[in-house]
Amino acid sequence: MHVGKNKNEGGRMGDFNAKTLSTSFQEAGIELERLKTGTPPRILGSSVDFSKLEEQTGDREPTLFAHHDTRGSLEDRMFHVERPGQSFQGWQPGTEQVSCWITYTNEKTASIIQDNLHLSAMYSGEISGVGPRYCPSIEDKVVRFADKDRHQLFLEPEGRHTDEWYINGISTSLPFSVQVDMLRSVEGLHNVTLMRAAYAVEYDFAPPTQLFPSLESKKVENLFFAGQINGTSGYEEAGGQGLIAGMNAVLKTRGESPVVLGRHQAYIGVLIDDLVTKGTQEPYRMFTSRAEYRLLLNHHSAELRLLETVERCALVRPDRLERMKEKAQSVDHWAEKLNTDKTKGGTWGDYLRRNEAVHLLPEAFRNLSPGVRDEVLYRVKYQGYLERELRNIEKLKNVEHVKIPNEFDFKSIKGMRAESIQKLESIRPQSLGQASRISGINPADISILLVMLEARRGSAV
């Protein structure tokens, strides 16, 4: 962990390091490499002048990870953080929202950073690992985007029962004293108290191509890897892998086949397939753009897409499983009904695809739970796009035979990530199949490239 020129071994600030664990992995034949990341400073909320900041309230109806309409009692629908010897009633998501706040760096902030770049571990050569592409340090932002007058910072509360705040957007490895000066140059933070300094981290990861799709190690049977050790960055990414690894560890003890989610079933399936097939050379984040079938992976259908897996692995109580099945049947019934029942000017589905006036739909439909209603509306309104997505799945089965002209201009592709275009320009693959095997090129990129090639052929006719 790096704060200016100071280097310390450890886990998260204050925790022990895991060097002996890394040594054990290497002794077992597991290869390790290094990545880097950073964390922003934590500050005392009472020292912030919130009157100078822009308030960012929560959504009136927040989109939640959990599907509360298939849960039973209010207690089941509440969020709990239990500690040994303590029990809380819990918090009902969406109530008693806590705001975040926005402020900005300025020219003085940039000047402080520029004057002290030589003290940053990121810029002094102390750190060799590759960092997250999409979460640059404040030093990186000031150097790479020198034309920008300011950079946005989000102040996020660490919890309901603490006055510690997290400043999103200002990760750094500058010395403690420089961090204080830098923060106090920012509007609203002129008298801020720094509770925990930001720091940069170099850490070991095991290239995930050493794993089976079940997340079991190819080198050590019965050992499952999940999270940052696999080269990913982010809580959701780690949590998703943890679910799959935990499920498959149990299934392995039972002698049952593992759960492997397809790319068309879940973002977790995309994430794990990318990791174990292509590996990663930088901290991996799960973006919707990495999924070639993302229209099929809408939020409201998650319970329904994964219902078979949930039932097989007994991931919910029997009473909730029954409610999930009833929800699936209700969605199928109403999607079919709206696409076949006639009304003025065609079916209800035709009406929906032309008009947003949901309040004119049958009363029985309007009285459905929001979870069922939203999924039915999605399926009916976007039916044409969803069917096209399914046709694309069939097309992509034959990518090996789709040739790419030698003179094709990859830079002309709209909607593709800049790093993907760079890799395609550098390697210049001869077919879509070859392009799909380039590290860092994901199926979503191949989908876009296929569309561009078809458009090119069409215009040449």
Side-chain angles (χ1 to χ4, degrees):
M1 297 177 295
H2 302 258
V3 180
K5 298 294 183 182
N6 293 323
K7 292 193 295 184
N8 293 288
E9 294 180 345
R12 286 178 24 157
M13 195 65 90
D15 291 342
F16 293 108
N17 68 48
K19 286 180 67 175
T20 53
L21 182 60
S22 291
T23 301
S24 297
F25 288 156
Q26 290 174 316
E27 288 174 350
I30 295 169
E31 298 173 17
L32 298 180
E33 294 180 13
R34 288 233 135 177
L35 292 174
K36 72 178 178 183
T37 190
T39 186
R42 272 66 163 184
I43 60 173
L44 183 65
S46 60
S47 67
V48 176
D49 183 356
F50 286 99
S51 69
K52 302 290 181 61
L53 275 56
E54 301 172 20
E55 185 174 10
Q56 296 289 295
T57 58
D59 293 342
R60 287 181 181 275
E61 296 182 15
T63 300
L64 308 171
F65 278 114
H67 293 271
H68 288 238
D69 57 322
T70 55
R71 299 193 177 199
S73 64
L74 175 63
E75 184 70 13
D76 285 339
R77 297 194 296 272
M78 298 186 102
F79 178 77
H80 297 260
V81 180
E82 303 288 355
R83 295 179 175 84
Q86 294 179 312
S87 180
F88 300 99
Q89 181 187 6
W91 167 65
Q92 189 172 357
T95 63
E96 303 175 59
Q97 294 274 34
V98 180
S99 293
C100 293
W101 300 79
I102 287 180
T103 187
Y104 300 87
T105 63
N106 51 51
E107 291 182 359
K108 183 178 179 181
T109 315
S111 178
I112 292 170
I113 293 167
Q114 289 279 12
D115 292 345
N116 291 280
L117 274 178
H118 63 287
L119 299 177
S120 167
M122 302 264 191
Y123 277 81
S124 63
E126 289 288 340
I127 298 180
S128 57
V130 179
R133 181 187 298 264
Y134 302 100
C135 302
S137 66
I138 192 65
E139 295 97 304
D140 262 340
K141 291 178 184 179
V142 167
V143 172
R144 290 165 52 193
F145 307 107
D147 58 315
K148 303 296 183 185
D149 296 329
R150 63 182 192 173
H151 296 283
Q152 195 173 53
L153 307 179
F154 288 88
L155 271 67
E156 305 173 357
E158 286 275 21
R160 292 178 165 274
H161 308 294
T162 177
D163 197 29
E164 184 171 288
W165 289 68
Y166 176 105
I167 311 183
N168 192 340
I170 197 168
S171 66
T172 181
S173 58
L174 288 165
F176 187 95
S177 61
V178 178
Q179 290 187 36
V180 172
D181 291 341
M182 177 177 65
L183 289 173
R184 290 181 177 173
S185 71
V186 174
E187 189 70 25
L189 306 184
H190 296 319
N191 298 304
V192 77
T193 298
L194 182 58
M195 296 183 71
R196 286 194 285 165
Y199 57 96
V201 187
E202 268 192 302
Y203 60 93
D204 293 336
F205 86 105
T209 49
Q210 300 173 94
L211 302 175
F212 293 111
S214 64
L215 296 182
E216 182 180 12
S217 171
K218 295 176 181 176
K219 305 290 182 70
V220 180
E221 188 178 6
N222 299 325
L223 176 63
F224 291 79
F225 279 27
Q228 192 168 307
I229 186 69
N230 289 340
T232 61
S233 176
Y235 296 117
E236 296 87 354
E237 288 83 353
Q241 292 172 71
L243 285 169
I244 298 299
M247 289 158 56
N248 284 333
V250 172
L251 292 170
K252 184 74 185 286
T253 66
R254 296 175 178 172
E256 299 178 26
S257 59
V259 167
V260 177
L261 298 178
R263 299 183 69 94
H264 64 289
Q265 288 181 287
Y267 281 111
I268 293 175
V270 177
L271 165 74
I272 293 175
D273 183 60
D274 279 352
L275 292 174
V276 303
T277 303
K278 297 181 179 180
T280 185
Q281 297 300 311
E282 61 187 55
Y284 179 106
R285 300 293 319 241
M286 182 67 248
F287 299 112
T288 56
S289 61
R290 296 189 189 274
E292 64 274 38
Y293 311 130
R294 56 187 173 275
L295 289 182
L296 303 177
L297 305 182
N298 64 306
H299 175 77
H300 296 292
S301 68
E303 277 191 318
L304 313 182
R305 283 183 274 114
L306 301 175
L307 184 55
E308 184 179 326
T309 301
V310 169
E311 182 171 20
R312 176 195 166 193
C313 298
L315 298 180
V316 299
R317 294 198 308 256
D319 60 320
R320 186 177 178 197
L321 181 63
E322 284 308 306
R323 285 191 290 272
M324 290 168 67
K325 289 181 177 180
E326 290 169 5
K327 178 179 177 179
Q329 291 169 357
S330 183
V331 167
D332 290 342
H333 167 76
W334 277 102
E336 174 69 18
K337 186 175 180 63
L338 293 184
N339 271 323
T340 55
D341 281 10
K342 299 289 184 179
T343 187
K344 185 178 180 180
T347 66
W348 286 109
D350 295 330
Y351 177 80
L352 258 181
R353 289 184 280 272
R354 292 194 304 264
N355 195 313
E356 290 290 333
V358 177
H359 66 279
L360 296 178
L361 292 173
E363 183 179 1
F365 173 76
R366 288 184 279 117
N367 289 335
L368 294 171
S369 71
V372 173
R373 194 171 60 240
D374 290 343
E375 176 60 15
V376 171
L377 289 173
Y378 183 83
R379 291 191 188 185
V380 174
K381 289 174 68 174
Y382 302 109
Q383 181 182 21
Y385 295 100
L386 296 171
E387 289 174 350
R388 185 177 67 183
E389 193 89 307
L390 294 171
R391 290 195 297 270
N392 283 340
I393 292 173
E394 290 301 313
K395 283 184 183 178
L396 288 172
K397 289 179 180 177
N398 299 310
V399 293
E400 202 64 50
H401 307 295
V402 179
K403 300 302 180 185
I404 301 175
N406 290 332
E407 71 281 6
F408 186 81
D409 182 12
F410 294 104
K411 293 178 182 176
S412 68
I413 300 175
K414 306 293 185 186
M416 186 179 286
R417 298 169 305 141
E419 60 268 30
S420 299
I421 291 174
Q422 290 170 5
K423 289 178 178 179
L424 291 168
E425 276 286 326
S426 171
I427 297 172
R428 302 208 63 83
Q430 299 295 295
S431 72
L432 275 185
Q434 184 185 359
S436 70
R437 291 188 289 276
I438 297 173
S439 178
I441 299 297
N442 62 44
D445 298 325
I446 298 302
S447 243
I448 294 171
L449 184 52
L450 175 61
V451 170
M452 293 295 294
L453 290 169
E454 288 183 338
R456 187 179 188 272
R457 278 201 298 270
S459 63
V461 175

